[in-house]
Amino acid sequence: KRRPNNTGSSAKKQLQQTLAHANAQSNPLAALPSAFLSVNITAGGEDAPSKKNGTIHYYKSPLPELILQQCLDLFERNMGEMYKKSEWGLDMEEKRGELLHEDARFLIIILEDDIADNDTADADDNETATAADTDSSTDDIIKSTTSPQQQQVIGFAHFRYEPDEDSPSSTPLSPITYLYELQISLTSNGLGKTLMTLIELLSLQLFMTKVILTVFKCNTGAMKFYLDKLKGYDVDECSPSNFEGGEDVEYEILSKRIGHKRV
């Protein structure tokens, strides 16, 4: 668990103000050009590829129930087996509670058209990842569970603006973006990288100092995505692997410094 960090009153006040400002944002994407929030998607098999369009939306908790359930279904589809094999186990009620946390913020990709039932997820370039990771081996058929009139979620990021309570005790707490989930249903479309780029942009605009996330060591697809495909991510100083006995822990904590000095 995260441990307390002694912070001077002035620095603590500035930290609280920074986090309050970030959490008060109703739609920080509004200032971005619409092109930044549109994605082109190729779905379907090689014999009958289908071009679709999607849009990225910002949400504050609580999510609309239809969207919340689709996010939970996507998480379980991508990560269920990996969690069942971990010491954490799979608890979907606990996951629902995480997504309903009052500080939860989301970037959600909504498909503008419904996808045919035979569309598949390509596991060769899987970008799905979570705060506790992604399944790089998923090769399941992704079936649409919504009608054309409903909003179909094809990817989402769940993140929060928090104090970095794992920073060394000799330094003041810093405001950071903690990525709890990054889940994508249609891979090989660059959707994971697009969401991460937006999260980093928002973090920079809102004076966060880092983006931090957690990845299962066995999730080689997610590890490759963050450490090789994205720029700037590395094993964080507070990751268990940096401490004695940490080689037996199932996960790594990764981070990227965003560009602002500590408060």
Side-chain angles (χ1 to χ4, degrees):
K1 292 184 178 180
R2 295 186 174 191
R3 53 186 172 77
N5 184 306
N6 295 325
T7 303
S9 58
S10 178
K12 185 175 182 179
K13 183 178 180 180
Q14 185 177 353
L15 171 68
Q16 293 173 339
Q17 290 175 341
T18 300
L19 293 175
H21 172 71
N23 283 314
Q25 301 301 305
S26 59
N27 185 11
L29 299 180
L32 297 178
S34 59
F36 279 52
L37 307 179
S38 298
V39 292
N40 298 317
I41 302 157
T42 300
E46 294 182 1
D47 296 335
S50 176
K51 300 292 184 180
K52 303 290 182 178
N53 296 316
T55 54
I56 301 172
H57 302 263
Y58 177 86
Y59 284 90
K60 297 174 67 172
S61 182
L63 290 170
E65 181 59 31
L66 174 62
I67 291 179
L68 172 63
Q69 189 57 53
Q70 289 187 74
C71 289
L72 289 168
D73 291 344
L74 179 53
F75 166 81
E76 185 173 14
R77 186 163 62 235
N78 286 347
M79 299 302 302
E81 290 304 313
M82 189 171 293
Y83 268 78
K84 289 176 184 177
K85 295 175 182 177
S86 75
E87 62 181 15
W88 296 341
L90 178 65
D91 187 336
M92 292 306 297
E93 283 304 310
E94 181 180 32
K95 183 59 60 176
R96 173 180 281 268
E98 288 180 11
L99 268 60
L100 288 172
H101 191 282
E102 63 178 357
D103 292 334
R105 301 294 183 265
F106 303 89
L107 293 180
I108 297 182
I109 306 176
I110 302 294
L111 192 67
E112 294 182 357
D113 303 300
D114 63 320
I115 294 183
D117 284 351
N118 65 348
D119 289 345
T120 61
D122 182 354
D124 293 338
D125 189 26
N126 199 318
E127 297 168 348
T128 307
T130 74
D133 331 349
T134 53
D135 188 347
S136 62
S137 64
T138 184
D139 193 28
D140 298 332
I141 293 177
I142 306 302
K143 293 185 177 182
S144 171
T145 57
T146 61
S147 71
Q149 290 75 33
Q150 294 175 325
Q151 294 178 309
Q152 183 181 350
V153 174
I154 58 171
F156 76 95
H158 162 209
F159 56 98
R160 301 179 198 172
Y161 301 118
E162 302 178 337
D164 183 9
E165 295 179 343
D166 287 324
S167 60
S169 58
S170 61
T171 60
L173 291 180
S174 299
I176 57 98
T177 300
Y178 205 105
L179 179 68
Y180 283 77
E181 300 288 344
L182 177 63
Q183 300 293 343
I184 305 296
S185 67
L186 296 176
T187 60
S188 299
N189 282 278
L191 302 181
K193 188 173 183 178
T194 296
L195 289 180
M196 289 304 298
T197 298
L198 287 173
I199 287 172
E200 292 172 15
L201 177 60
L202 293 179
S203 299
L204 181 64
Q205 291 178 337
L206 295 172
F207 301 99
M208 300 297 114
T209 61
K210 281 183 181 180
V211 174
I212 300 181
L213 56 111
T214 308
V215 183
F216 282 133
K217 290 178 180 178
C218 66
N219 192 350
T220 55
M223 292 291 286
K224 181 179 179 180
F225 172 64
Y226 288 111
L227 296 177
D228 296 340
K229 292 187 178 182
L230 299 183
K231 295 181 179 180
Y233 285 88
D234 205 347
V235 176
D236 192 75
E237 59 187 346
C238 71
S239 189
S241 63
N242 288 323
F243 301 92
E244 185 176 355
E247 63 274 5
D248 297 327
V249 178
E250 294 179 311
Y251 62 88
E252 291 279 16
I253 298 175
L254 308 181
S255 67
K256 176 179 180 177
R257 186 155 297 278
I258 295 301
H260 295 291
K261 295 182 179 180
R262 295 179 182 271
V263 295

